[in-house]
Amino acid sequence: MDPADTVQQQLDTLVKDPILSDISLSTSLHELDLLIALERHQAFKIHITRETLPTIDIIVRQADSVKDIRKAFEQAWRLAHPKESVNWRYIWKNYCLMFGQQRLSDDEALVSQVGLRHGSRLCFSRKR
């Protein structure tokens, strides 16, 4: 049997598993890695609120930085709004993420240092 056929059969079997029903075939390897880390409690889901716009959920590892959070948000936005173009340089120049009353302005600060936990909520705030 061709190795590609074997892999395809294994994928078909995995997709039919009810535990994996929320994972689509278009899930990237990186996204799958994050979902596995979430299940192993090595990562957690945080919510980013944007005034009147819908909340965007992202998964971050405990060792990720604020810069990684921003990149994950950008990726989640692109997936949710594939036809819209955003000038991220403008956004991050004029807005920052906030956790409670704390501005997340240090791109190198780690998620664990900032105090984020599973279910934490971040919001956008205009820079002064």
Side-chain angles (χ1 to χ4, degrees):
M1 183 182 278
D2 183 28
D5 291 336
T6 304
V7 170
Q8 187 60 48
Q9 284 179 336
Q10 291 173 342
L11 282 173
D12 292 342
T13 303
L14 285 172
V15 170
K16 293 175 186 173
D17 188 325
I19 294 174
L20 302 174
S21 64
D22 60 339
I23 298 175
S24 73
L25 288 175
S26 64
T27 301
S28 71
L29 187 57
H30 177 70
E31 292 169 321
L32 190 57
D33 185 46
L34 284 174
L35 290 170
I36 291 168
L38 183 64
E39 291 299 319
R40 291 182 175 171
H41 302 287
Q42 297 167 343
F44 38 83
K45 188 181 288 190
I46 60 174
H47 315 284
I48 300 180
T49 58
R50 305 166 296 139
E51 295 182 9
T52 60
L53 298 172
T55 298
I56 290 186
D57 296 337
I58 60 171
I59 298 173
V60 294
R61 292 182 177 276
Q62 296 169 359
D64 282 351
S65 67
V66 170
K67 187 175 185 176
D68 295 326
I69 292 173
R70 291 181 6 189
K71 287 183 181 203
F73 175 79
E74 291 173 19
Q75 181 64 26
W77 173 267
R78 283 187 201 100
L79 289 173
H81 307 278
K83 296 182 180 180
E84 292 184 35
S85 178
V86 173
N87 182 340
W88 292 108
R89 179 175 282 164
Y90 172 82
I91 295 294
W92 298 124
K93 183 179 178 183
N94 292 289
Y95 293 90
C96 67
L97 293 171
M98 292 196 63
F99 177 51
Q101 298 299 315
Q102 178 183 3
R103 288 186 185 278
L104 304 182
S105 55
D106 180 6
D107 282 349
E108 302 306 317
L110 300 179
V111 167
S112 57
Q113 294 172 330
V114 174
L116 295 175
R117 301 281 179 255
H118 184 72
S120 292
R121 290 195 171 278
L122 301 180
C123 64
F124 272 88
S125 175
R126 199 163 215 353
K127 288 184 176 179
R128 296 179 195 160

